[in-house]
Amino acid sequence: MTCNNCGSTVGEADNFCSRCGAPLAPVPEQPMLEESQQIDGESVPNESTARLDLAAQLEALQNTVAAMRADVARNSERLSLVEQVLSVDTADTGPDDARPAATEASSPTAPTVSAPPSAAGQSASQAALAGTPPASPPGVSPPGGGIPFPERLRVGFPNWDWEWLFGGNWLARIGVLALVIGIGFFLKLAFDNQWIGETGRVVLGLVGGLALLGAGEFWRRKYPVWALPLTGGGLAVLYLAIFAAFSLYGLIPAMWALGLFFLVTLTAAGLALRYESLSIAVLGILGGFATPLLLADRLPDQQVLLAYVLVLDLGVLALATFRNWRWFTLLGFIGSLVLYVFWRTELDPGLLLAIVGITVIFLIFVGATTLFHLLWRREPRAFDHALVLLNAAAYFGFSYELLFEEFRAWMGGFTLLLGLFYMLLAYGIFIRHREQVRHSLFAMGIAAVFVAIAVPVQLDGPWISVAWAVEGVVLVWLSFQFGMPQLRWFGLGAFTIFTYWLLFIDTPNALGDDVTPFLNVYTLTYAVPIAANFVAAFLVYRERDGLLQWERVLFPGFLIAGNLFLTISIPVQVDGAWVPIVWAVEAAVIVFASFRLGLVELRLIGLGVYGITIVRLLTFETFGLSDGCDFFCIDLADDRPVLSLRFLAFVVGVASLYWGAWATWRWRDRFYDERERYFLPALLVAASFLTLWALSVEIIIATNSDYFSVPASIAGDVASVSLSILWAVYSAVLIVVGIVRRSRWIRIGGLGLLAVPVLKLFLVDSFALDQEYRVAAYLALGLILVIGGFLYQRFSRTIREFLLE
C-alpha cells in the first residue's frame, strides 16, 4: 500500500505512515447509493451520499490529529534528551550568549567545547533528536572520549564529565605550572653558572611568554580548554620578565616598567574577551594591580600612579560592561581600594587629589556594576546587588574619613548629595529600563539609607525626628506618584526609625527638661511626626483600592501611631492634672471625628485614649505618698475639696465619657460592626464609676482638710459613714434613672452598687466604727432602703415590667 501524502510504501496492516505520520485508515465500504436524484429536472446530490462524505472527512481529520499528537509527544521526549545532554546555562553570559563558543564565564574549570558541524551535514541538535551522538570532525574526539550521549546520561552527575575535567583542563594547567617552575629552576641553574647574561635572561623570558601566547592562539580553535592554560602561563612569564628587567637588574626605568606592565594587562583583557575566559581576565587584573606593589621602592610621582590605577579601573569597566564576571569585578574593586590606600599612605597626596581619586574610582565602579544589566537587559542577582552596596559603602567610608575633620559642618549635606545621586540613578533606571525594577528599587533603597544617615550626621537633638518624619511621608507620597509600591517599604523604614528615636531618645529628654508649655522646641518635634502619620494615613486611604493585601494594615497603623505621638506629647507640654484634662478632650474629639468621617479605627483609638485617661485619674491624680502613709493613700497635697485642679480633671474626664456615650447612641446607625453596640454601656459604666470615685476622693479630702473642723481622731469614722451614705444615695439615683429611662441594665447596676454599702455596713462598719457612728450609719442606710422600698411599691407596675422583662 502506498501513502497518499509522501508516496512511501507501507504495510497493509499499518494505520499511519512510518515516514510522514499521515493516517492510512482505509475508507469503509459504503452501500451503493444513487449519487444524485432528479428534482424538478435538476440533479441534486443524494442526502445519504453527503452524510457519508462528511463522516469520512471527519474520521480522516480525527486520525490526522491523533498522528500529530503522537508526533508532538515523540519530539518532546527527544527535546528533553537534548536539554539533559547539553545542560546549557546562559543566565549570566554577555551579549554573545547565542554563539556556541567555549566559555568559562560561569566556571573557569567547566569544560565547554564549540559544537562543530558534523561530517555528514547533520547538526548536533538533529543528531541528539535521533538519539545518537553528534559526529565530530576528522581527528577531533567528542568530549568524554567518544562515549555516546545516552551512555553519559546514566552518570550520577550529568553536567560533569570527571575524566574530561581532569584530563582536559586541570592536567593542562598543572602541566603549565610545572613547566614554568621547571623553566625557573633551569634559568636559576643557568644564572648561577653564568651561562646567560642579565639581558639574555630578560629576552629569554619575553620570548618564552610570547611563544606561549602564540601557542595558545594557535591551538585555541581546536583544543580551546587545553590552550587556555598556555595563554595564562604566557602572561605570567611576561609579568615576571618585566619585573626582573626593572627590579632585579635595573635594565629599564620605572616608567618603562609601568608602561610594559600596562600593555601586558591590556593584552590580558583583550584575550579574555577573545577567548571568553574568566581565568585570563582574573590573571590580568591581578598582575595589573600587583605592579605598583612590585615597584614600591621606585614609584613614580603620585599623579602618574593615580592615573595608572584609574586606567586599570577603566579596563575593568570595559570588561564588566560586556561580560558579567562578578568575581573579576570584585577583584578589580578590591585591588583599586588596596592601591588607593597604599597610594595615600606612601605618597601622602593632598586632600583635593585624594577626594578626586576616590570619587572617580567610585563612579567607575558604579558603571561597572550597572551598565551590563542595562545594556543587555539582564536581571541583577544578589551578588550584583552586593557589589553595588559595597561600592557605595566604601566610598562613603573613605570620603567621611577624608572630609570629617575639616568639613564636619558639611558632612550631612555631602551624605544627602550621595543619597540624591542614587535617587537620580534609580529614577533614570526606572524611566529608561522599566524591566529593571529590582535594580531601580535597590538603588532607591541605598538612596533612602543615605538620606536617613544624613539626618543625624547634620542635625542633632529633636530635629532628627523631624527630618526622618518628613523623609518617611515623602517616600510614601512618591510610592503613589510613581506607582512603585516598593517605595513604601523604605517609607515604613523611615517611620520605624523616627518612631524609635522619638519614643526612646526625644521623649525621655523632653520629660527631663523644664520647658514652657507649647512654646518649646519639642512642640515641633512632635507636631511634624504627628502630621506625617496623619498625612500618610490620608494618602493610604485615598489610594486604598490599589493597595496590596498586606498594606491594608497601613491605614490603621498610621492612625494609631499619629494618635500615640499626640498622646505622648501631652505630658511633655503640660504637667499635673492638666495631662488627663487634655487627654479627655482629645478622646472626645477623636470619637466625634470617627463618626463624622466614618472611620471605626478612630473609635477604637478614642477608646484607648479614654482608657489611659481613666488610669491616669485613678493613679497619679488620686494616690500619692504623704506623712505616715506607705502605699495607696489619697494625695492630700491640695486639701481643698471640690475647688481644685484635680477635681476639675475628674469632671472633664467624666463629661468626656458621657459625651462619648451620647455620641455613640446618637450615631448608632453608623456602626461598622454589630459589636460596637457594647461601646455605649462600656462608656456609661466607666463614667459612673469615675463619678463615684471622684466624689469618694473628695469626701476623704474634705474630712482631712483644714476647711472642716473634723478632729483627726474621728476623721476616719466620719469618712467611712460618709462613703456608705454616698454609695447608697448614688445607687438609689441609678435605680431611679433606670426606672424613668426604662433601662433594665441601669437598674441592675444600681442594685449591684447598693449591695456594696450594705455589705460594708454589716461586715466592716459594725466592727470598725465607734458606737455613735455605727448608729448613724445604720439609720442612714435603713432610711435610704425604706425610701427605696416605697418607690418600688409606688411604681409597682413599672417594677413588674422590670422583673418580667
Side-chain angles (χ1 to χ4, degrees):
M1 186 170 61
T2 304
C3 175
N4 294 328
N5 184 40
C6 63
S8 303
T9 301
V10 296
E12 293 291 336
D14 293 341
N15 293 324
F16 301 92
C17 177
S18 59
R19 182 171 182 180
C20 67
L24 301 174
V27 178
E29 296 183 1
Q30 306 295 340
M32 297 298 294
L33 298 173
E34 295 182 3
E35 295 183 356
S36 62
Q37 54 184 346
Q38 298 293 325
I39 300 179
D40 296 334
E42 297 181 0
S43 179
V44 179
N46 189 289
E47 183 179 357
S48 300
T49 303
R51 284 201 302 268
L52 290 175
D53 291 342
L54 181 60
Q57 294 175 6
L58 180 60
E59 184 176 1
L61 180 60
Q62 292 175 344
N63 293 335
T64 302
V65 172
M68 294 176 64
R69 289 178 177 174
D71 190 46
V72 169
R74 288 193 298 271
N75 289 337
S76 299
E77 294 178 357
R78 293 173 180 174
L79 181 59
S80 177
L81 178 64
V82 171
E83 291 176 347
Q84 294 180 30
V85 171
L86 298 180
S87 299
V88 177
D89 182 12
T90 60
D92 292 318
T93 54
D96 300 329
D97 291 342
R99 299 182 308 177
T103 177
E104 292 186 3
S106 58
S107 172
T109 62
T112 54
V113 180
S114 301
S118 65
Q122 184 185 29
S123 67
S125 60
Q126 291 173 340
L129 288 173
T132 59
S136 302
V140 179
S141 298
I147 300 176
F149 283 150
E151 293 294 328
R152 292 175 60 192
L153 289 176
R154 290 198 291 269
V155 181
F157 300 93
N159 292 335
W160 293 85
D161 188 334
W162 297 101
E163 181 181 357
W164 175 257
L165 177 63
F166 288 103
N169 196 348
W170 278 105
L171 289 184
R173 298 186 179 189
I174 295 173
V176 170
L177 178 62
L179 286 176
V180 173
I181 296 176
I183 292 173
F185 286 149
F186 169 75
L187 292 177
K188 184 178 186 305
L189 180 63
F191 299 161
D192 293 340
N193 292 281
Q194 298 298 321
W195 295 346
I196 304 176
E198 294 179 351
T199 304
R201 300 168 192 173
V202 174
V203 172
L204 184 61
L206 294 175
V207 172
L210 294 176
L212 288 175
L213 292 181
E217 175 66 21
F218 179 78
W219 293 106
R220 179 181 68 88
R221 294 186 178 275
K222 204 169 187 179
Y223 305 108
V225 177
W226 180 81
L228 289 178
L230 298 181
T231 303
L235 292 172
V237 170
L238 289 177
Y239 276 120
L240 292 175
I242 297 172
F243 174 73
F246 166 74
S247 183
L248 298 180
Y249 310 129
L251 299 178
I252 56 177
M255 290 298 297
W256 278 78
L258 195 64
L260 292 175
F261 275 126
F262 176 74
L263 288 178
V264 175
T265 303
L266 186 62
T267 302
L271 292 176
L273 282 178
R274 178 175 174 80
Y275 299 163
E276 298 284 343
S277 174
L278 173 62
S279 59
I280 293 179
V282 171
L283 180 63
I285 202 64
L286 290 179
F289 282 108
T291 296
L293 302 179
L294 298 176
L295 308 178
D297 55 341
R298 306 178 190 178
L299 283 173
D301 58 22
Q302 50 191 354
Q303 289 83 0
V304 174
L305 180 57
L306 178 60
Y308 175 81
V309 174
L310 297 181
V311 170
L312 284 182
D313 287 343
L314 290 175
V316 174
L317 172 62
L319 282 177
T321 302
F322 292 95
R323 298 294 181 270
N324 191 26
W325 291 335
R326 300 182 181 91
W327 286 104
F328 168 77
T329 306
L330 177 61
L331 290 176
F333 178 70
I334 295 175
S336 300
L337 294 185
V338 169
L339 283 188
Y340 178 79
V341 173
F342 175 78
W343 172 64
R344 282 195 55 209
T345 305
E346 296 297 327
L347 300 182
D348 191 21
L351 177 61
L352 179 60
L353 188 59
I355 195 64
V356 168
I358 192 62
T359 301
V360 175
I361 293 174
F362 163 72
L363 294 176
I364 289 175
F365 279 95
V366 167
T369 55
T370 303
L371 290 180
F372 174 85
H373 306 285
L374 300 182
L375 292 177
W376 310 113
R377 301 182 183 277
R378 299 297 177 83
E379 189 70 18
R381 297 184 178 180
F383 201 147
D384 303 306
H385 288 158
L387 291 176
V388 174
L389 182 61
L390 183 63
N391 183 36
Y395 177 65
F396 178 72
F398 278 103
S399 301
Y400 200 88
E401 186 268 336
L402 283 170
L403 301 174
F404 184 81
E405 184 176 352
E406 297 187 23
F407 299 95
R408 171 65 183 88
W410 299 92
M411 290 309 300
F414 171 80
T415 310
L416 189 63
L417 287 176
L418 193 56
L420 181 61
F421 169 80
Y422 275 99
M423 191 176 299
L424 294 176
L425 177 64
Y427 181 73
I429 295 174
F430 179 75
I431 293 299
R432 299 299 301 272
H433 303 275
R434 290 187 177 271
E435 72 280 0
Q436 295 285 336
V437 176
R438 292 177 57 190
H439 204 165
S440 175
L441 290 176
F442 192 78
M444 183 61 71
I446 295 177
V449 170
F450 278 126
V451 173
I453 293 175
V455 173
V457 170
Q458 187 66 35
L459 305 175
D460 56 2
W463 296 103
I464 296 177
S465 300
V466 173
W468 277 338
V470 173
E471 178 187 357
V473 74
V474 168
L475 288 174
V476 172
W477 175 73
L478 289 176
S479 70
F480 293 114
Q481 289 295 111
F482 295 150
M484 299 173 64
Q486 295 83 355
L487 281 180
R488 290 192 283 280
W489 303 348
F490 306 126
L492 291 178
F495 274 98
T496 303
I497 293 174
F498 86 71
T499 297
Y500 171 82
W501 193 273
L502 189 65
L503 293 180
F504 298 102
I505 304 298
D506 290 339
T507 299
N509 294 336
L511 293 175
D513 294 343
D514 186 12
V515 298
T516 303
F518 302 105
L519 298 177
N520 55 79
V521 68
Y522 294 106
T523 300
L524 186 62
T525 302
Y526 286 94
V528 174
I530 292 169
N533 277 280
F534 287 147
V535 170
F538 168 74
L539 294 173
V540 171
Y541 182 78
R542 186 184 63 181
E543 306 290 341
R544 59 189 180 277
D545 294 335
L547 295 178
L548 302 176
Q549 185 63 33
W550 68 271
E551 293 181 307
R552 302 293 180 180
V553 300
L554 292 182
F555 176 68
F558 285 131
L559 284 182
I560 292 173
N563 284 278
L564 175 64
F565 296 149
L566 178 60
T567 304
I568 293 176
S569 67
I570 301 304
V572 174
Q573 302 295 341
V574 297
D575 56 3
W578 287 107
V579 174
I581 291 174
V582 180
W583 280 349
V585 174
E586 175 192 356
V589 172
I590 292 175
V591 171
F592 173 76
S594 71
F595 287 108
R596 297 296 296 176
L597 300 177
L599 300 176
V600 66
E601 295 85 358
L602 282 179
R603 284 195 286 282
L604 297 175
I605 295 172
L607 290 179
V609 178
Y610 274 131
I612 64 171
T613 303
I614 294 172
V615 171
R616 170 80 187 211
L617 290 171
L618 297 181
T619 54
F620 290 95
E621 309 311 321
T622 301
F623 299 109
L625 295 178
S626 58
D627 296 338
C629 178
D630 295 328
F631 189 66
F632 277 168
C633 293
I634 301 299
D635 186 7
L636 302 176
D638 186 0
D639 61 352
R640 291 175 300 176
V642 179
L643 300 177
S644 64
L645 186 60
R646 171 179 49 205
F647 186 71
L648 178 62
F650 278 100
V651 170
V652 174
V654 170
S656 178
L657 286 168
Y658 278 119
W659 190 95
W662 177 84
T664 303
W665 177 82
R666 172 65 177 79
W667 290 299
R668 58 188 180 277
D669 56 330
R670 302 184 183 182
F671 284 168
Y672 180 80
D673 191 280
E674 185 64 23
R675 289 171 292 184
E676 291 188 63
R677 69 179 186 274
Y678 297 112
F679 291 174
L680 177 60
L683 291 171
L684 288 176
V685 169
S688 299
F689 174 78
L690 200 61
T691 301
L692 187 60
W693 182 281
L695 295 175
S696 300
V697 170
E698 295 304 315
I699 287 177
I700 296 175
I701 293 175
T703 56
N704 289 272
S705 67
D706 296 335
Y707 294 91
F708 298 93
S709 301
V710 179
S713 58
I714 62 173
D717 293 339
V718 174
S720 181
V721 173
S722 301
L723 290 177
S724 297
I725 296 174
L726 170 67
W727 295 345
V729 171
Y730 195 84
S731 62
V733 171
L734 287 179
I735 293 173
V736 171
V737 172
I739 293 173
V740 174
R741 300 295 301 178
R742 303 178 63 84
S743 173
R744 181 169 180 261
W745 291 108
I746 295 178
R747 295 193 296 268
I748 291 176
L751 291 175
L753 180 59
L754 185 60
V756 175
V758 173
L759 293 176
K760 177 177 178 293
L761 177 64
F762 288 100
L763 299 179
V764 178
D765 294 345
S766 297
F767 306 98
L769 297 179
D770 292 338
Q771 184 174 0
E772 58 271 21
Y773 292 102
R774 188 184 309 140
V775 171
Y778 273 95
L779 291 177
L781 186 59
L783 182 62
I784 294 173
L785 293 176
V786 168
I787 295 175
F790 171 77
L791 293 176
Y792 264 69
Q793 184 65 32
R794 173 68 179 79
F795 299 99
S796 59
R797 186 174 181 179
T798 304
I799 298 303
R800 283 196 298 270
E801 293 179 0
F802 155 60
L803 294 175
L804 297 177
E805 281 182 353

